[in-house]
Amino acid sequence: MLSCIRRALPLLPFLLLPLLPGALAQRAGSGPPTQDPFGQKEAAVPVRSLGNYQSHSYTNGIITIKSNTGATLRVRPWVEGVVRVEFFPLGQPVQEITSVSVVQSPVPPAPEAARAVQRLTGSSNSGALRNEANALVWALPESFGTSYATVTIQKNPLRVSYQRGSETLIAEAGGAFEQLTPTDGTGVSFRLAPDEHLYGTGSRALPLDRRGRKLTLYNEAHYGYQNGEPTLNVSLPTVVSSRGYMLFFDNHAPGTLDLGATEKNTLEYRAEGLRNLAYYLITGDSYAEILSRYTALTGRQPLPPRWALGLVQSRFGYQSEPEMYQVARRMRQADFPLDALVLDLYWFGGTTRQGDFQWVQPNFPNPRRLLHRLDSAGVKTVLITEPYIMRTSRHDALVRNQGLVGRDQNGQPYTVESFWAGPATLVDMFRPAARQWLWQQYDRLKQDGVGGWWSDLGEPENQPADMHYDAGSTRQIHNAYGQAWAGILSEGYARQYPQERLFNLGRSGWAGMQRHSLFPWSGDVSRSWSGLQAQIPIMLSMGLGGVGYMHSDAGGFAGSIPDPELYTRWLQLASLGPVLRPHGSGVPPEPYWYPEPYRSAVRRFTHLRYELLPYLYTLAWENSQTGAPLTRPMNFGETQLVASGLLEPDDTTTPPLDWSWQTDASSAWGRERRLVRQRQAFARSNQPHFTNVNDQFLLGSNLLVAPVLQPGQRRRNVVLPAGNWVDFDTHQTLPGNQTVGRNAPLARIPLLVRAGAILPLAPYVPTTARYRTDTLRVRYYADPSVRESSFTMYEDDGKSREVAEQFQLLAFEGSTSTTGTSLRVAVRGTYPGAPISRTVELLIPRVAAAPAAIQLNQAALSATDWQYEEATHALRVRFPLGAQPVQLTVPGLQLDVTPAADLIPEVVELQTPSNRTFGSSTQLNYALYQPGHYVLTIRNSQGELVKTLPLAAEAGPHQAPWNGDDAQGHPVPGGVYWAELLGQHQRLVLVR
């Protein structure tokens, strides 16, 4: 007993926290906003369909079809792989529809294509329109994709479909329609294939595959949410299909997406109060290609400042200058990296001073000195701001008198009495004078040295329905509000600080939000295992909507109960995600507060993140160029940058770059073969066991991350794509296309590397301000099954926005065959501060025996520059890299790719109970991966058997209730109990 007490002593400060006065939360109380933001009961809505064909015309690349109901349908090929469809009901003018999302202009039709359409011949030539008895059939011009893409407009009734060759990729079901209700609106429906999977739709604590759900398109804040919350801070009007297309509904009205909930094989979109309708069909032969086209349409995320990929420490909240110095000092003393500190409400004086935009005295006596000192130590400062101006704010009279806020029906400033912090007004982000005033506040603070911004509550969280803005009423503008706010910062930086990269930690937005340099987080999540489990599908779903930096309050935000194991597992996940930002209230979120062994486990992963910066920064660049997210679902497929000709010795220019999923071919035959290969790869990626994986993900193409999401779990199953995989820590080989079991002690989670991958790392530094690549630690996971592999690493100064030619590419190309293994490396381009030369420390794991010799550029490498570690089967080589390409060759290298012995998957998983602390009953959750008969037992703290619970026999997720009783049904006393299933345990606390 005494030993148990001694082990508990390091946790004593945390155990006492719930007994202390509660910390001030971001919202008073713990419930959702008092006002229902969607605000309507669901009921059957009468509709009027588009009707039948009456006539059509062609002008400037647009086919316009008139219906017998007086409605109008327009179809316009936009760019390659993208088609826009518009619907105008009777009485609505046919005109250009404004968009808060789209920034790309359509490609004008080629003259020959226009002539082909105008002739209206029966030709099957590219660009020709055939006017058939039952349909208009438009063979799209080659400039809009392949010559066999076709849009068909069925005449009676009017419906649009898209064909790729002989396959119908997507077809309208009921077509476009008008809702006949007091709020009116429009909608459209589509047919779904039986085996089709649907992704995207924004931030929702739901499984990746959204098929079978009806979802709301209205941004909402839910304080303390957990897994299962269907609507959160960012809704996106985008649906990505496993069949190779995206539907993007281009408006920001409140709406619903019915993804087969009402009718199993029908997808229906409805928008409230919308007088017309526009949607884009975006096609591609991979998810990467679809996202590339979508982000070209709505704007791509600019490259972040490198410090944004470091550890950004936050809390609710730091209250003074000495506290900031103390946190920075303690992070360094405890050997944790730190690149930024985030200041919550206290920098301007707390809850009632929202809208002041002024440092509070005497807590922050000299902000410029503070920010300069922190910056000189490699620590940026990020400030929170809100869209609410409190009635107690120093700016209350100014914004009301100048009309900078939302108004009531009489045009008077609207006071939001129900705002959680007290009466306040909301800035009208659509009014030019308000936008200018708000930018002036940011610009003034930036002169102090502010490094980044935190845009909180931007849904907005509490926005009464009877408010009005320059752009319309609350419900009309609600989803676009955060987007408009983000535009103030992005436009201001582009105008006044074009050389600087913007970091905006935003909580809400809409389609296209990524172009405003938003780094969104998933809202005020519960500090619970359920809250942690929600983060992977949230992050991946946002990535499939073009938003590549979705992350969470690492460690959990809401709640006052500490859980060091939960914190550790959350930080491990976040360290291998887009943004690492510990944050919380009620419990300290800084890692140095946690006792051993948790502190060391977290430290190891924060250090690993900094070592992976060359890889992470390259993924950030890939996102800025193509829209591919940094973290990806298991069925995303590979992307690989190819720098054509970069390795040629006589090439003195920076070569063109191609992405493997859109590499050009030199002939029609070559293009056809490439398309066949791409579609075969896409089909392999979308095998059933990869289509809805919610507990693991890919970090780029080469790393597979399998976090631990259950308390007490020390081993978990991992689903592997095809090909060999290599354990990052043990270098064991794992044959792919199967599910394997992997050990996951507290200090580790399964982190796997794709066989053949070339992975660049750098020495650890405590801040990216000290980051250098004059030494590169490169791992080449040579594998006999991968004859050729490559990786192109991107480098620049980490801060300049207008990079132009000021960047550097390092191309690595590996080759493995029976005769040996080689690695070629070349460098092109430069930037201010770039290393003149580098030292490459190469590691090749899984080497069976020491090689006889190693050659560098065909000359023998000195034996002092390489080492074979027999105990770890690793070959380490050190060589210089300058301006000229180099080739390292290991003749006859023997690789040991024997599969690891301990790969047997777990047959059951005992998961987080519905309540770990309960008064009368709890649900014990478990999953069976193999059918069979298993026993779940309840034992007391002395290990004595209390009860045996019957379990299901079939595979799948299940629940077993325990009512706090023994085998005879008698209530047991309060205390600690353990649920046990095949060696797995869950701790339960029964409170009587």
Side-chain angles (χ1 to χ4, degrees), residues 524-584:
D524 294 339
V525 60
S526 164
R527 184 181 294 109
S528 66
W529 291 93
S530 179
L532 170 61
Q533 291 155 13
Q535 298 313 308
I536 293 179
I538 288 175
M539 174 179 68
L540 299 181
S541 296
M542 287 289 284
L544 289 172
V547 184
Y549 291 91
M550 176 56 99
H551 66 287
S552 65
D553 290 340
F557 178 79
S560 59
I561 299 176
D563 187 334
E565 183 188 7
L566 172 65
Y567 180 87
T568 300
R569 295 308 196 184
W570 210 315
L571 267 290
Q572 289 170 339
L573 163 61
S575 293
L576 295 172
V579 177
L580 170 58
R581 188 182 54 84
H583 181 58

Side-chain angles (χ1 to χ4, degrees), residues 48-52 54 67-72 89-90:
R48 178 165 55 211
S49 65
L50 178 57
N52 296 333
Q54 189 173 67
S67 81
N68 63 348
T69 66
T72 303
L90 172 66

Side-chain angles (χ1 to χ4, degrees), residues 363-674:
N363 300 31
F364 297 94
N366 192 332
R368 290 196 177 195
R369 181 185 62 191
L370 167 68
L371 272 57
H372 174 74
R373 286 180 176 176
L374 288 173
D375 190 58
S376 65
V379 181
K380 302 294 183 182
T381 301
V382 178
L383 297 186
I384 193 174
T385 61
E386 298 86 0
Y388 293 89
I389 311 295
M390 304 299 296
R391 294 306 312 272
T392 51
S393 168
R394 62 192 292 266
H395 287 131
D396 174 65
L398 182 150
V399 297
R400 293 171 73 88
N401 293 337
Q402 295 187 12
L404 308 183
V405 295
R407 298 164 293 283
D408 61 23
Q409 60 183 357
N410 299 317
Q412 297 302 308
Y414 193 114
T415 299
V416 185
E417 300 285 354
S418 58
F419 181 49
W420 62 265
T425 54
L426 262 170
V427 176
D428 186 347
M429 300 297 178
F430 307 92
R431 177 161 282 196
R435 296 174 66 84
Q436 181 182 7
W437 176 80
L438 195 53
W439 168 250
Q440 289 170 350
Q441 311 311 309
Y442 289 128
D443 193 27
R444 173 175 49 80
L445 291 164
K446 191 181 183 311
Q447 306 312 311
D448 292 334
V450 174
W453 308 96
W454 177 7
S455 304
D456 198 16
L457 315 180
E459 298 76 27
E461 181 177 285
N462 188 318
Q463 191 180 29
D466 54 346
M467 288 184 75
H468 295 269
Y469 306 80
D470 274 12
S473 66
T474 284
R475 293 189 66 78
Q476 291 172 325
I477 62 90
H478 177 82
N479 287 330
Y481 189 93
Q483 188 98 317
W485 185 11
I488 295 174
L489 276 165
S490 65
E491 293 163 13
Y493 267 66
R495 183 175 59 250
Q496 292 185 226
Y497 305 101
Q499 76 283 8
E500 294 189 34
R501 301 181 193 176
L502 170 63
F503 177 86
N504 184 359
L505 184 67
R507 198 171 83 170
S508 192
W510 194 247
M513 60 188 288
Q514 68 278 351
R515 70 175 182 268
H516 295 297
S517 294
L518 277 170
F519 296 81
W521 88 100
S522 59
D524 294 339
V525 60
S526 164
R527 184 181 294 109
S528 66
W529 291 93
S530 179
L532 170 61
Q533 291 155 13
Q535 298 313 308
I536 293 179
I538 288 175
M539 174 179 68
L540 299 181
S541 296
M542 287 289 284
L544 289 172
V547 184
Y549 291 91
M550 176 56 99
H551 66 287
S552 65
D553 290 340
F557 178 79
S560 59
I561 299 176
D563 187 334
E565 183 188 7
L566 172 65
Y567 180 87
T568 300
R569 295 308 196 184
W570 210 315
L571 267 290
Q572 289 170 339
L573 163 61
S575 293
L576 295 172
V579 177
L580 170 58
R581 188 182 54 84
H583 181 58
S585 68
V587 172
E590 297 85 6
Y592 54 72
W593 284 101
Y594 288 81
E596 295 295 353
Y598 308 102
R599 184 190 305 185
S600 292
V602 171
R603 183 187 294 114
R604 177 178 182 269
F605 274 80
T606 60
H607 282 217
L608 175 60
R609 180 179 184 84
Y610 277 67
E611 292 169 8
L612 284 169
L613 277 172
Y615 181 70
L616 291 172
Y617 197 58
T618 300
L619 296 183
W621 176 59
E622 181 181 357
N623 172 262
S624 72
Q625 300 298 302
T626 72
L630 283 72
T631 54
R632 306 160 184 183
M634 295 305 300
N635 60 340
F636 192 84
E638 294 184 62
T639 63
Q640 178 59 59
L641 186 64
V642 179
S644 304
L646 195 149
L647 287 158
E648 299 303 321
D650 58 349
D651 181 15
T652 59
T653 63
T654 301
L657 297 167
D658 292 310
W659 301 90
S660 63
W661 39 264
Q662 58 177 185
T663 303
D664 290 333
S666 58
S667 66
W669 180 86
R671 288 194 296 272
E672 177 70 22
R673 295 297 301 164
R674 175 178 62 85

